Amino acid sequence: MAGYRPEPAWWPDLTAYRKAIFLHNISFGDVDVLLKEYAAISSDKRQIVCDFYYTALPDDGTWTYLEFPNFENVPHYVNLWHYQNLLIWLSQKADREFCLAIPENQKYPLFLSTMDKKNPYGDSCMGIYADRDFYFEVPGDVFEWGPVPASAFNYVAFLNQSYQFDTRWILKVSQCKWEKTQVTLTVSE
């Protein structure tokens, strides 16, 4: 992609969003282990205790819904970096995965990202936000906007066709039994 690369302060701000990572065919045990491994590899100075909650979707138990926490008093771009990096980390054990962030206020756009399967190193994501493509590469902290599309993006159709995922399943997560893994992450300032 050869687009605009804004400074981190201009990356999408998902602070007022409910951020989820959806993982297909992964056990809760694997989610727990991978979250703990992820926390163990970070080495920045500031420590934040994070509670990660996850559950199986009631209409299709092969999908795990992982709620991504907002880190308090941390710049939004640090949250975005961990959100995308954790998707990459968890994809080791899932056969399909994507992030979907839903805004608290419906006038704001959805955020959708998935692994860049064309990248042989497995260290990048691509997605769409505000009807605009983006590319994110963890090494080097590269966030790049693609061209502005000619028409609006249909999130529901894309998830259904690409992942056999029905977005109506999300409506029932409040009825689920949740698992919890608490880890201490270190974050940059």
Side-chain angles (χ1 to χ4, degrees), residues 102-129:
I102 301 169
E104 292 174 8
N105 185 328
Q106 290 190 1
K107 72 178 184 176
Y108 295 109
L110 293 172
F111 175 95
L112 173 69
S113 67
T114 188
M115 293 287 298
D116 179 4
K117 300 290 187 187
K118 294 179 184 174
N119 178 348
Y121 302 108
D123 59 4
S124 60
C125 302
M126 56 187 196
I128 191 154
Y129 175 71

Side-chain angles (χ1 to χ4, degrees), residues 136-180:
F136 184 79
E137 190 174 290
V138 171
D141 303 333
V142 174
F143 182 92
E144 186 172 282
W145 287 112
V148 177
S151 61
F153 183 77
N154 187 330
Y155 291 86
V156 172
F158 174 80
L159 290 172
N160 191 298
Q161 292 167 2
S162 300
Y163 295 97
Q164 293 73 52
F165 186 87
D166 187 337
T167 54
R168 293 176 292 188
W169 297 340
I170 300 169
L171 300 173
K172 296 182 181 177
V173 296
S174 62
Q175 304 166 7
C176 296
K177 179 180 181 281
W178 293 84
E179 301 290 326
K180 174 182 160 185

Side-chain angles (χ1 to χ4, degrees), residues 9 32 42 45 52 55 83 86 100 111 145 167 171 175:
D32 182 70
S42 55
K45 293 180 181 182
F52 286 92
T55 188
Y83 186 37
L86 191 56
L100 182 64
F111 175 95
W145 287 112
T167 54
L171 300 173
Q175 304 166 7

Side-chain angles (χ1 to χ4, degrees), residues 32-123:
D32 182 70
V33 166
L34 289 167
L35 287 171
K36 290 174 181 171
E37 287 176 357
Y38 180 78
I41 62 168
S42 55
S43 60
D44 291 314
K45 293 180 181 182
R46 184 166 176 209
Q47 295 187 341
I48 298 177
V49 176
C50 300
D51 293 331
F52 286 92
Y53 292 92
Y54 45 97
T55 188
L57 292 179
D59 289 330
D60 187 341
T62 62
W63 281 100
T64 297
Y65 175 104
L66 173 73
E67 187 85 19
F68 186 87
N70 268 329
F71 307 142
E72 297 291 323
N73 304 314
V74 173
H76 72 275
Y77 50 86
V78 173
N79 274 308
L80 180 67
W81 187 90
H82 278 285
Y83 186 37
Q84 297 308 280
N85 195 24
L86 191 56
L87 170 69
I88 292 168
W89 189 259
L90 292 166
S91 73
Q92 298 175 57
K93 298 286 184 174
D95 62 6
R96 287 179 266 167
E97 64 286 316
F98 64 91
C99 289
L100 182 64
I102 301 169
E104 292 174 8
N105 185 328
Q106 290 190 1
K107 72 178 184 176
Y108 295 109
L110 293 172
F111 175 95
L112 173 69
S113 67
T114 188
M115 293 287 298
D116 179 4
K117 300 290 187 187
K118 294 179 184 174
N119 178 348
Y121 302 108
D123 59 4

